[in-house]
Amino acid sequence: QGGGSAVIDMENMDDTSGSSFEDMGEMHQRMKEEEEEEAEGEAGAGEEEDGEFLGMKGLRGQLGRQVADQMWQVGKRQASRAFSLYANIDILRPYFDVEPVQVRARLLESMIPVKMINFPQKIAGELYGPLMLVFTLVAILLHGMKTSDTIIREGTLMGTAIGTCFGYWLGISSFMYFLAYLCNAQITMVQMLSLLGYGLFGHCITLFVTYNIHFHSLFYIFWLVVGGLSTLRMVAVLVSRTVGHTQRLILCGTLAVLHMLFLLYLHFAYHKVVEGILDTLERPNMPPFQRVARDIPVVSNPVLNTTAKAIALTL
């Protein structure tokens, strides 16, 4: 019995030892599987993080492209709108949509100073009449140059006359609008162009009469009466739209001086200035340098003989 129990114990020991080895193998295999699962989990997490990073990067790139496209479309619409604004002639139509009867009435009104300056006077916001008056002044200047004793060589006066008239109209209107802005006058640029343009009606009348009737006394009468009435009209309108005595004095005094001096310039100095400019730019061609044969005086024979003897004695 003792031997049998020993054999049974050995068998049990062998069974327990085998089961323990099997358990160790299973544990080792499970540990490997767990490590592999952990490695796969870490790899999967890394791929997910990479995917999320790439997704955020792609989303940012897509948003950037969308913003750039929107900015491009907005800029394109603004550029096309600005181009159509300057290219569309219908925008200028309201400034030239006027009846001839209205233009005639405004021409007459430009010579009549207003009396009521307590409230702002109405100014026509159209440019047809002023533009026609500027072209009329150009034609009168050309007529005056042709009827005067001005000599023009190989040139035309059209460009000079247009530059003078349009330069005064646009330049003085811009300067007076800036001055009116500083003096807090209630007037727009279009109204200033219209006011100053209709103010040239007196200049046209004065120059047309005095270019055909050459009397300085007659010019001074027209300068004071006709030019003075058109200037008073503009001054009265500006006074009605300006607040403050100092502002009125600065604005209206500047306009009156410039307008009256321009008429004096057109009558007295314009022809001389243009003639001087044309003489400077268009000088007549100088004839080329030519050699001219000189006449040698005839020397008498005694003089030649005496000179020859003197040279011989010297040698």
Side-chain angles (χ1 to χ4, degrees):
Q1 294 177 353
S5 62
V7 173
I8 293 170
D9 293 334
M10 290 294 293
E11 291 178 357
N12 293 332
M13 288 177 64
D14 293 336
D15 293 337
T16 54
S17 62
S19 62
S20 64
F21 281 113
E22 291 177 356
D23 293 338
M24 291 294 292
E26 290 179 357
M27 290 176 64
H28 184 65
Q29 186 175 359
R30 288 178 181 176
M31 289 175 67
K32 285 184 178 181
E33 290 177 355
E34 290 178 356
E35 290 178 356
E36 291 178 356
E37 289 178 357
E38 290 179 358
E40 290 178 357
E42 291 178 356
E47 290 178 356
E48 290 179 358
E49 290 179 357
D50 294 338
E52 290 178 357
F53 176 74
L54 292 175
M56 290 297 294
K57 187 176 181 181
L59 182 60
R60 291 177 181 176
Q62 186 177 3
L63 289 175
R65 287 194 298 271
Q66 289 180 358
V67 172
D69 292 337
Q70 289 180 359
M71 292 178 65
W72 169 257
Q73 294 296 331
V74 171
K76 185 178 179 180
R77 284 196 299 269
Q78 290 179 355
S80 61
R81 188 180 303 171
F83 180 76
S84 62
L85 177 65
Y86 289 102
N88 194 359
I89 196 63
D90 292 336
I91 298 174
L92 300 176
R93 184 175 296 176
Y95 301 110
F96 295 92
D97 188 10
V98 61
E99 298 294 333
V101 178
Q102 295 177 349
V103 175
R104 183 179 61 186
R106 288 165 184 169
L107 289 175
L108 295 176
E109 289 177 357
S110 65
M111 302 298 298
I112 303 174
V114 295
K115 297 180 180 180
M116 301 297 296
I117 59 174
N118 296 326
F119 57 92
Q121 296 293 324
K122 184 179 179 181
I123 302 176
E126 52 94 6
L127 300 177
Y128 175 77
L131 188 62
M132 293 300 104
L133 282 173
V134 173
F135 280 118
T136 304
L137 186 60
V138 170
I140 292 173
L141 290 179
L142 295 177
H143 173 70
M145 292 292 289
K146 291 180 180 179
T147 56
S148 63
D149 296 332
T150 305
I151 300 174
I152 304 302
R153 303 183 186 95
E154 301 178 0
T156 178
L157 299 174
M158 183 68 71
T160 307
I162 290 176
T164 302
C165 297
F166 276 91
Y168 173 78
W169 181 44
L170 298 176
I172 299 301
S173 296
S174 301
F175 175 72
M176 293 305 302
Y177 174 72
F178 175 72
L179 193 61
Y181 175 78
L182 295 180
C183 295
N184 198 18
Q186 300 176 1
I187 190 170
T188 62
M189 184 63 188
V190 176
Q191 290 176 343
M192 182 62 73
L193 287 171
S194 179
L195 182 65
L196 192 63
Y198 277 110
L200 293 175
F201 182 57
H203 288 34
C204 293
I205 295 175
T206 303
L207 293 176
F208 181 75
V209 173
T210 55
Y211 279 166
N212 294 297
I213 303 175
H214 300 283
F215 290 109
H216 291 297
S217 59
L218 181 64
F219 168 75
Y220 286 118
I221 292 173
F222 273 81
W223 179 67
L224 289 175
V225 177
V226 181
L229 288 176
S230 62
T231 305
L232 285 177
R233 168 74 182 189
M234 294 189 296
V235 167
V237 172
L238 286 180
V239 167
S240 66
R241 290 176 169 266
T242 309
V243 179
H245 297 287
T246 305
Q247 290 82 353
R248 288 178 177 179
L249 181 61
I250 294 173
L251 186 62
C252 300
T254 304
L255 179 60
V257 170
L258 291 176
H259 201 64
M260 297 297 286
L261 288 179
F262 181 64
L263 184 54
L264 288 175
Y265 167 76
L266 292 179
H267 183 78
F268 290 106
Y270 174 73
H271 295 177
K272 296 180 180 179
V273 171
V274 172
E275 187 177 2
I277 293 174
L278 293 177
D279 287 339
T280 304
L281 298 178
E282 300 176 2
R283 291 179 178 177
N285 295 326
M286 300 297 294
F289 178 76
Q290 298 178 353
R291 295 183 180 273
V292 180
R294 296 181 179 179
D295 296 332
I296 300 176
V298 179
V299 182
S300 60
N301 290 327
V303 175
L304 292 175
N305 294 330
T306 305
T307 305
K309 290 178 180 180
I311 294 173
L313 291 174
T314 304
L315 296 174

